[in-house]
Amino acid sequence: MISLHTSPARRRRLGVAVAAAGLLATLLTAGPAAATPDPGGTATARTDVSAAQEAEAEAAISSGEIPGVDEIVHSSNITHLANVPKDALKGLNTDLAFQGKYAFAGNYDGFRIYDISNPKSPKTVAQVLCPGSQNDVSVSGNLLFLSTDSSRSDNSCTSTTQPATEKSSWEGMKVFDISDKRNPKYVAAVETACGSHTHTLVPERKNVYVYVSSYSPSETFPDCQPPHDGISVIKVPRNAPEKAAVVNFPVLFPDGGNPGAPTNPGVSKTTGCHDITVLPSKDLAAGACMGDGLLFSIKDPENPRIIDRVQDNVNFAFWHSATFNQKADKVVFTDELGGGGAATCNEEIGPKRGADGIYDIVGKGDHRKLVFRSYFKIDRPQADTEVCVAHNGSIIPVKGRDLMVQAWYQGGVSVWDFTDSSKPKEIGYFERGPVSTDAVTTAGPWSAYYYNGYIYSNDIAKGFDVLKLDDRRTDPAKRVRLDELNVQTQPDYFDR
């Protein structure tokens, strides 16, 4: 290893055993960034806008309708405690996980570990260079799991990009030993069909099961062949992670799933899942699978079984992620309209597309059904230069209420209440103004999660943010303490 202001509410919208040599990761110091080999994503993507759109954005800033470039605004019940900018890892920031006093932050170039024992002043503990999109991260005990969904020359942390058309290319899951947080060690890797866009842990005492979500197969990809109508299930022995292996590939869409266009214009064809959230205490999982939403049983974690499946071929373009409420009688699904690369929080798109869909779970056992109730979308105006769409969030644990904090890219962080499934409402927010007024730029919070009394957000471009939420409706959550949180593995907050 080598060590290397508060504003008033604004409502109008703008127009697998691995060779030892392959298990070397580079541990970076918190000092100046070293050159990184072929990172997965090194900068925010930009697409120029028209002169009229640029002028409209600048006029909205001048009038106070939207914040200025990079200006921070928030509701009166939120305080911005800290921001830690990017350091050695220059790629796009991605997902978050938590354990004890530590936060683990994914980045297209690897992952970063923070000591958050003082939320007002997070400290970097380690930065691990291991390029490969998206590098979504989860933790369980002494193990850290990292998704690789870009075709690489091999499974090492010094790999370079290589076409998926080459049989020798590698994508999949990487496993690190984090018993020493300052010196994570790469211990195992498992190749999976079509890589690992995201993953979800189903932890048990002796083993950790990993549900690997991936999609978009091609006849030209030797390791990602159609039909790709299921998920990879990996079994990782806690005491021997080097023996991790795929143990099943359950078919979730025996009929092939949503056909997408031209049958359903504007809807993604289902060729796998984007993300899965499990609720182990209820033996349930919810799958966001491109053109389909799923409810399934994980009573036998190696063999998940579908209970119900829904589609929305009017307003949902891409089923992105899912969140249960605590009682497991609701699921919030998100629609990543535009693939996280477009301005969709504007008047042109409207309030029902690129939004959350709230579904009640009705019935019992295998007869349970997902029943649509309403959409929720932030109604704070965003410029046409701001990539904004529903993204990753978590429950805020308060008995008797359904509360959630959620990332919206440049729409910022939203705190909202869906206790009444038919009448969701925002109760708090934090956001920055546009990154620029002359181009559509991918930036803003990728994930925003509530953990042990604070909201933590991983901003794609600006770094790691810590927020404090003070509100009578959410204050009871401050009494709930967790030892570990992977949001896609939802805990039972009140029965532990």
Side-chain angles (χ1 to χ4, degrees):
M1 302 280 293
I2 301 173
S3 288
L4 293 177
H5 105 7
T6 307
S7 72
R10 293 166 286 120
R11 289 293 179 251
R12 189 180 72 80
R13 284 186 189 80
L14 292 175
V16 84
V18 189
L23 294 180
L24 295 178
T26 302
L27 188 64
L28 300 167
T29 66
T36 59
D38 197 13
T42 57
T44 51
R46 287 172 54 93
T47 303
D48 290 341
V49 299
S50 67
Q53 289 172 310
E54 180 179 358
E56 184 180 28
E58 291 176 348
I61 291 172
S62 296
S63 68
E65 186 177 2
I66 66 173
V69 172
D70 287 339
E71 179 187 359
I72 291 175
V73 296
H74 53 80
S75 53
S76 59
N77 56 358
I78 287 181
T79 304
H80 187 209
L81 296 182
N83 171 262
V84 184
K86 292 181 185 180
D87 187 45
L89 305 177
K90 300 299 185 183
L92 310 181
N93 284 330
T94 60
D95 213 359
L96 292 168
F98 305 89
Q99 186 180 85
K101 67 176 185 178
Y102 298 102
F104 304 82
N107 179 285
Y108 271 55
D109 288 345
F111 64 92
R112 188 170 178 176
I113 303 176
Y114 297 97
D115 181 336
I116 54 171
S117 53
N118 179 3
K120 294 181 180 179
S121 183
K123 303 297 183 186
T124 298
V125 174
Q127 299 185 73
V128 176
L129 173 65
C130 198
S133 64
Q134 300 179 141
N135 277 341
D136 276 14
V137 62
S138 297
V139 294
S140 183
N142 288 330
L143 299 178
L144 178 145
F145 301 84
L146 199 68
S147 283
T148 300
D149 192 37
S150 55
S151 187
R152 311 297 298 178
S153 56
D154 55 50
N155 59 25
S156 75
C157 285
T158 57
S159 67
T160 56
T161 56
Q162 182 169 289
T165 52
E166 294 189 23
K167 176 62 179 174
S168 63
S169 296
W170 185 91
E171 300 179 66
M173 285 299 309
K174 295 168 181 167
V175 184
F176 290 76
D177 183 323
I178 54 168
S179 51
D180 180 355
K181 302 296 188 295
R182 297 187 177 276
N183 188 32
K185 295 181 179 179
Y186 184 6
V187 295
V190 180
E191 187 171 14
T192 54
C194 301
S196 175
H197 192 70
T198 65
H199 68 270
T200 303
L201 305 186
V202 185
E204 296 188 338
R205 187 171 63 87
K206 293 184 177 180
N207 304 297
V208 180
Y209 288 97
V210 186
Y211 291 169
V212 175
S213 297
S214 55
Y215 53 94
S216 295
S218 170
E219 296 282 1
T220 66
F221 299 162
D223 299 321
C224 183
Q225 290 283 298
H228 185 70
D229 47 16
I231 59 174
S232 298
V233 179
I234 298 173
K235 182 178 181 179
V236 184
R238 290 189 184 275
N239 293 331
E242 68 279 1
K243 295 181 180 179
V246 175
V247 293
N248 196 11
F249 187 85
V251 172
L252 303 179
F253 305 98
D255 65 350
N258 196 318
T263 304
N264 297 316
V267 177
S268 294
K269 178 181 179 180
T270 298
T271 59
C273 289
H274 179 277
D275 210 345
I276 292 170
T277 293
V278 297
L279 190 57
S281 64
K282 306 292 186 183
D283 290 329
L284 280 178
C289 302
M290 304 183 72
D292 293 88
L294 299 180
L295 180 70
F296 52 100
S297 167
I298 58 167
K299 191 170 185 178
D300 177 357
E302 286 192 25
N303 297 282
R305 181 173 49 82
I306 301 300
I307 296 174
D308 194 28
R309 170 180 158 197
V310 290
Q311 296 179 353
D312 179 347
N313 295 318
V314 176
N315 289 312
F316 258 48
F318 188 92
W319 296 66
H320 174 274
S321 53
T323 303
F324 288 99
N325 69 335
Q326 179 60 41
K327 291 175 65 178
D329 59 6
K330 298 176 188 176
V331 181
V332 174
F333 289 102
T334 66
D335 175 22
E336 193 183 43
L337 176 67
T344 69
C345 299
N346 53 30
E347 191 171 15
E348 178 185 0
I349 299 299
K352 295 182 178 180
R353 298 172 61 215
D356 296 320
I358 304 166
Y359 287 74
D360 284 353
I361 301 173
V362 299
K364 296 181 179 181
D366 288 349
H367 299 291
R368 284 172 287 190
K369 298 291 183 183
L370 292 164
V371 179
F372 173 77
R373 294 303 186 203
S374 66
Y375 298 104
F376 170 75
K377 188 173 182 180
I378 60 171
D379 60 359
R380 289 171 283 110
Q382 307 295 315
D384 286 339
T385 60
E386 293 181 277
V387 170
C388 174
V389 74
H391 220 245
N392 294 351
S394 76
I395 290 296
I396 299 175
V398 175
K399 284 186 176 181
R401 302 189 75 102
D402 295 323
L403 302 166
M404 188 169 174
V405 58
Q406 185 177 2
W408 286 79
Y409 276 31
Q410 287 193 73
V413 173
S414 176
V415 179
W416 60 290
D417 186 329
F418 62 105
T419 305
D420 183 340
S421 302
S422 299
K423 296 180 180 179
K425 58 183 180 181
E426 184 173 78
I427 62 172
Y429 69 90
F430 167 90
E431 69 166 294
R432 291 180 171 89
V435 172
S436 72
T437 58
D438 62 358
V440 178
T441 307
T442 299
W446 178 289
S447 300
Y449 299 146
Y450 189 92
Y451 177 68
N452 290 354
Y454 297 89
I455 294 170
Y456 297 91
S457 169
N458 210 19
D459 189 292
I460 295 167
K462 301 299 182 182
F464 182 69
D465 287 305
V466 185
L467 310 176
K468 186 179 180 183
L469 175 63
D470 293 299
D471 189 293
R472 60 176 177 77
R473 293 163 290 191
T474 61
D475 284 346
K478 295 177 181 178
R479 297 192 291 269
V480 177
R481 311 298 291 183
L482 300 177
D483 297 324
E484 190 170 270
L485 177 63
N486 301 294
V487 167
Q488 289 74 30
T489 306
Q490 281 191 226
D492 186 327
Y493 290 96
F494 305 115
D495 185 19
R496 291 178 293 115

